[in-house]
């Protein structure tokens, strides 16, 4: 049987890892400009961002899309 690797770039990546990597690369100021959500602009923290993103599907989708499009920059 062949080893099949998931083609989903988010497979096995936690939301925590996504947010931490985006913050490390862009910082909260730039994230707030790229994705207009308060958890990135008003008193931002990883914890508050995770709380909001876990409850808000549209915002999580935007963050995941930014993460996927930024993957080449992380290498």
């Amino acid at each position: 049987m062949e080893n099949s690797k998931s083609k989903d770039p988010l497979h096995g990546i936690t939301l925590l890892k996504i947010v931490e990597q985006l913050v490390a690369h862009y910082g909260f100021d730039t994230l707030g400009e790229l994705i207009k959500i308060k958890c990135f602009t008003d008193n931002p923290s990883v914890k508050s961002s995770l709380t909001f993103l876990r409850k808000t599907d549209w915002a999580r989708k935007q963050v995941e899309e930014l993460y996927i499009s930024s993957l080449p920059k992380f290498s």
Side-chain angles (χ1 to χ4, degrees):
M1 190 166 279
E2 289 183 34
N3 270 348
S4 60
K5 187 175 179 184
S6 175
K7 294 182 188 218
D8 180 5
L10 297 175
H11 180 77
I13 306 292
T14 64
L15 186 57
L16 173 63
K17 177 93 170 152
I18 291 171
V19 171
E20 286 178 338
Q21 198 157 8
L22 289 173
V23 169
H25 185 76
Y26 293 108
F28 278 113
D29 290 338
T30 303
L31 275 178
E33 293 173 14
L34 295 172
I35 303 173
K36 305 277 192 248
I37 51 179
K38 277 189 168 185
C39 68
F40 291 154
T41 58
D42 295 347
N43 198 17
S45 71
V46 172
K47 184 179 179 185
S48 67
S49 299
L50 289 173
T51 301
F52 177 76
L53 294 171
R54 286 183 177 129
K55 295 178 185 176
T56 316
D57 290 337
W58 63 265
R60 181 180 179 146
K61 185 172 168 70
Q62 287 184 9
V63 169
E64 289 173 344
E65 288 171 357
L66 177 62
Y67 177 80
I68 291 168
S69 68
S70 300
L71 279 174
K73 299 175 186 176
F74 297 150
S75 301

